[in-house]
Amino acid sequence: MAQDNDVAIRLEGLTKSYGALRAVDDLSFDVPKGAIFGFMGHNGAGKTTTIRMLLGLARPDAGAATVLGHDVVKESLAVRRISGFLPGDFALPAEMTPRDFLAYIGSMFGMAGEPLGKKVDELLDLFGLEDFAGKRLKGFSSGMTQKVGLAQALINDPKVLFLDEPTSGLDPVGRHDFLQYINTLSDERDVTILFSTHILSDIEAISDHVAILNHGRLIAQGTLADLKREHGEEKMDELYLKLVREAE
């Protein structure tokens, strides 16, 4: 697969089935470098399966994909070294502290000693976790859990960040704060962000590009402005419903 210099992620015909279920069906699109890319669809649309294939955690049945030029099957370890991941089912080890947990994740990337300690301190400060650094993770709220989850996804200074339904379960204030963190990361850290969601307002709040799935198939992609102009809809919920109905 050819990889343009301005493309961070490229999918070409990516396909995955589980028995009779076609979870991802001939999926092709590009994610531009530096984009906040909204990966949108209802629950079960194939978003998580796609992310898992891009990270080498699931093997595609057909097609191919690259992350910054690395083949997701042949070079899956290289992909994970340059990527951060916050899974949708993220859970914290109850008896660890944020500091210990971040240090543990960093050690998995070969970090140690003073560099690891400085990185952990930086992330604790970035997410306002300093006062909680020595407290056990047991009982942390959903918002606090997501802060720690995003911090662990950044421990290796990733070039590409995968966030799977990162605001599900958060209250409105928590969602707003979390989206602000994502915006800040995009602006300050030269990182491409692909985040999956079924929450339409999250897409409008921070995405500059979007791909919309329905039953594993791509039904639309492009900038929000272009999609709204092309389909004659100003509101994201109306645009989404129109595209899904046309695809059925």
Side-chain angles (χ1 to χ4, degrees):
M1 295 173 64
Q3 186 87 13
D4 297 339
N5 290 333
D6 60 349
V7 172
I9 304 169
R10 171 160 289 170
L11 290 73
E12 292 187 351
L14 207 64
T15 300
K16 180 69 176 178
S17 295
Y18 295 99
L21 174 65
R22 183 66 62 90
V24 175
D25 193 356
D26 194 26
L27 198 58
S28 299
F29 62 82
D30 287 348
V31 177
K33 282 184 180 177
I36 300 180
F37 193 95
F39 195 35
M40 184 178 172
H42 58 81
N43 289 335
K47 305 184 302 295
T48 296
T49 299
T50 301
I51 289 174
R52 287 178 57 81
M53 286 191 287
L54 292 174
L55 286 165
L57 301 176
R59 191 178 184 90
D61 299 328
T66 56
V67 176
L68 292 179
H70 297 288
D71 185 283
V72 300
V73 174
K74 298 176 182 177
E75 302 174 277
S76 61
L77 182 57
V79 170
R80 287 194 289 274
R81 283 176 176 158
I82 60 173
S83 300
F85 180 36
L86 175 57
D89 57 356
F90 181 73
L92 294 169
E95 300 306 315
M96 295 185 77
T97 67
R99 184 180 298 282
D100 290 342
F101 179 62
L102 293 177
Y104 170 71
I105 298 297
S107 71
M108 297 176 67
F109 285 95
M111 303 171 67
E114 185 176 354
L116 175 57
K118 286 184 176 180
K119 188 62 183 179
V120 169
D121 286 341
E122 173 196 327
L123 292 170
L124 292 171
D125 177 67
L126 175 65
F127 293 104
L129 294 166
E130 309 99 314
D131 293 341
F132 304 90
K135 297 182 181 297
R136 290 192 303 172
L137 293 167
K138 181 179 181 180
F140 270 34
S141 67
S142 296
M144 291 290 288
T145 296
Q146 289 299 75
K147 285 184 180 182
V148 177
L150 190 51
Q152 65 82 29
L154 297 172
I155 194 73
N156 60 321
D157 289 321
K159 293 297 183 183
V160 182
L161 186 59
F162 296 92
L163 308 175
D164 191 10
E165 300 280 2
T167 61
S168 292
L170 298 182
D171 61 31
V173 173
R175 280 179 51 220
H176 175 270
D177 291 346
F178 195 84
L179 293 174
Q180 288 298 109
Y181 282 123
I182 295 175
N183 254 330
T184 300
L185 294 173
S186 177
D187 291 340
E188 297 181 358
R189 291 180 177 248
D190 188 30
V191 58
T192 302
I193 300 172
L194 185 149
F195 81 101
S196 73
T197 186
H198 63 277
I199 301 174
L200 304 181
S201 58
D202 287 358
I203 293 287
E204 286 193 294
I206 63 172
S207 293
D208 36 37
H209 292 75
V210 63
I212 302 176
L213 294 190
N214 187 51
H215 300 302
R217 282 188 168 272
L218 182 71
I219 60 174
Q221 64 173 313
T223 67
L224 279 179
D226 286 346
L227 289 177
K228 289 179 178 181
R229 184 164 49 249
E230 179 182 350
H231 296 278
E233 300 291 348
E234 294 185 358
K235 295 182 179 180
M236 190 66 211
D237 56 349
E238 294 173 354
L239 171 64
Y240 177 71
L241 289 173
K242 179 180 181 179
L243 290 168
V244 169
R245 286 167 180 161
E246 290 176 351
E248 294 292 348

